[in-house]
C-alpha cells in the first residue's frame, strides 16, 4: 500500500520547467502525475521522460485516443516504451479499439474515458446518445472493460453506478472534484469533494488547479496545499 494520497495531479502547464517544479513541490504527496494532450504535443517523449525521471510516482498519459483499432494500436505502440501506468482512450471508440491498445501495452493500464465531464445532458443528447449521461457512462464503462480496460474515467456523479456495474477490480478515476474551500472557483459545474468521491468508490481523484494555483505563492505554499488536500483523503 502506497502512502501517497490517491491524487492524480494534473500538470496542466505549457512550460516544461514549471511542470518539473510542480513535481518537486508535490513529490511524495500525490500518487500519480497526469500529462495531457497539450503537454504531449508540446514536449513529446522527452517531456514525458523528464517528468518520470523526476519522480517515483506513476505517470498518467491522458491522450484520450479515439480512432480505428489499427491506428490506436500503432499509437499505443508508439508510446509503449514510455511505460506510463495509465493511458486513456475514449470508450466510445468501441470494444475492439480498446482491445487494440490493451494488446500492445504490457504494464500500462488502458483507461476508458466515458462521458466527458464538460458535457451537459443536452450535449450528450445532441451527440446522439439515446440515454442520459449516467446511463451512457455506465454503458461505455462496460464497453471499455469488455475490451480489457483496467481503469475508467468518469464523473464523480457516476461512480456508484459504474462501480456496481464493473465490480471491484477495475480502478475508477474521477476529475471534477473540488475541496470545500474551492467550490466556487474555476469552470467546474457539477463537483464533489475529494472525500465524497473516494467514499463513493473512486480509487483516484484528478486534481489540477486547486493545487497548482498555489504555485503563485511559491513551492512551499503549493506543497502545503497538496498536503492539506491529501490529508482529507488519507
Ligand atoms: O479543474 P482541474 O484543474 O482540477 O482539472 C484537472 C484535470 O481534470 C484537467 O486536466 C482536465 O483534464 C480534467 N477535467 C475534467 N473535467 C472538468 C474539468 C477538468 O475532466 N470539468
Amino acid at each position: 500500500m502506497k502512502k501517497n494520497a490517491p491524487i492524480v495531479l494534473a500538470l496542466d502547464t505549457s512550460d516544461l520547467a514549471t511542470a518539473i517544479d510542480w513535481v518537486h513541490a508535490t513529490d511524495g504527496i500525490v500518487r500519480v502525475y497526469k500529462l495531457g494532450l497539450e503537454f504531449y504535443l508540446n514536449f513529446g517523449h522527452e517531456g514525458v521522460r523528464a517528468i518520470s525521471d523526476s519522480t517515483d510516482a506513476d505517470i498518467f498519459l491522458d491522450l484520450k485516443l479515439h480512432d480505428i483499432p489499427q491506428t490506436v494500436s500503432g499509437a499505443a505502440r508508439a508510446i509503449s516504451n514510455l511505460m506510463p501506468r495509465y493511458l486513456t482512450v475514449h470508450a466510445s471508440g468501441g470494444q475492439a479499439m480498446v482491445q487494440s491498445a490493451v494488446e500492445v501495452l504490457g504494464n500500462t493500464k488502458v483507461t476508458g474515458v466515458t462521458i466527458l465531464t464538460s458535457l451537459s445532458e443536452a450535449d450528450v443528447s445532441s451527440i446522439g446518445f439515446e440515454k442520459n449521461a449516467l446511463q451512457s457512462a455506465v454503458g461505455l464503462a462496460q464497453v471499455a472493460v469488455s475490451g480489457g480496460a483496467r481503469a475508467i474515467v468518469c464523473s464523480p456523479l457516476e461512480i456508484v453506478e459504474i462501480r456496481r456495474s464493473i465490480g471491484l477490480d477495475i480502478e475508477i478515476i474521477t476529475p471534477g472534484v473540488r475541496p470545500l474551500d474551492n467550490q466556487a472557483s474555476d469552470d467546474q459545474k457539477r463537483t464533489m469533494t475529494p472525500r465524497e468521491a473516494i467514499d463513493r468508490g473512486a480509487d483516484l481523484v484528478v486534481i489540477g488547479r486547486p493545487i497548482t494555483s498555489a504555485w503563485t505563492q511559491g513551492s512551499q505554499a503549493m506543497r502545503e496545499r497538496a498536503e492539506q488536500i491529501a490529508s482529507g483523503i488519507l
Side-chain angles (χ1 to χ4, degrees):
M1 191 62 190
K2 294 185 181 179
K3 62 180 170 49
N4 299 13
I7 292 172
V8 180
L9 180 65
L11 299 177
D12 291 332
T13 166
S14 54
D15 183 61
L16 180 56
T18 300
I20 293 170
D21 284 343
W22 288 357
V23 170
H24 290 146
T26 55
D27 207 20
I29 302 172
V30 306
R31 202 171 290 176
V32 185
Y33 290 103
K34 181 168 93 72
L35 303 173
L37 195 54
E38 182 181 357
F39 181 98
Y40 186 74
L41 293 178
N42 273 317
F43 308 117
H45 281 216
E46 275 183 31
V48 177
R49 284 207 190 87
I51 298 297
S52 51
D53 287 349
S54 304
T55 177
D56 289 332
D58 288 333
I59 300 297
F60 184 115
L61 198 49
D62 192 15
L63 300 184
K64 294 191 178 72
L65 301 179
H66 189 175
D67 212 311
I68 61 170
Q70 189 180 344
T71 300
V72 166
S73 172
R77 196 174 293 112
I79 61 86
S80 61
N81 60 347
L82 294 172
M83 294 186 286
R85 187 77 182 116
Y86 305 89
L87 171 72
T88 53
V89 302
H90 273 289
S92 55
Q95 179 184 344
M97 189 209 79
V98 174
Q99 201 173 341
S100 73
V102 170
E103 280 168 359
V104 297
L105 294 171
N107 289 328
T108 296
K109 291 191 177 200
V110 172
T111 300
V113 175
T114 56
I115 301 277
L116 295 174
T117 56
S118 54
L119 296 178
S120 66
E121 289 291 349
D123 294 328
V124 171
S125 169
S126 69
I127 290 169
F129 286 100
E130 283 184 0
K131 297 176 182 162
N132 64 19
L134 172 61
Q135 290 171 316
S136 299
V138 171
L140 287 166
Q142 288 168 342
V143 167
V145 171
S146 72
R150 287 153 70 198
I152 294 294
V153 175
C154 65
S155 154
L157 304 171
E158 296 151 3
I159 295 168
V160 173
E161 294 291 331
I162 288 181
R163 177 62 77 204
R164 191 175 296 142
S165 143
I166 62 174
L168 296 174
D169 292 340
I170 309 292
E171 284 187 57
I172 292 182
I173 303 170
T174 178
V177 294
R178 280 291 175 268
L180 269 183
D181 58 1
N182 216 120
Q183 285 288 335
S185 63
D186 305 330
D187 53 5
Q188 301 270 14
K189 288 172 194 153
R190 297 173 302 161
T191 63
M192 210 175 266
T193 66
R195 179 77 260 166
E196 285 169 328
I198 297 289
D199 287 346
R200 286 192 183 206
D203 296 285
L204 289 164
V205 290
V206 181
I207 300 178
R209 291 162 292 179
I211 292 174
T212 58
S213 62
W215 181 247
T216 52
Q217 281 97 55
S219 172
Q220 186 56 29
M222 185 163 165
R223 187 165 193 86
E224 284 167 12
R225 181 65 171 145
E227 279 171 345
Q228 181 201 2
I229 293 174
S231 68
I233 47 175
L234 273 172

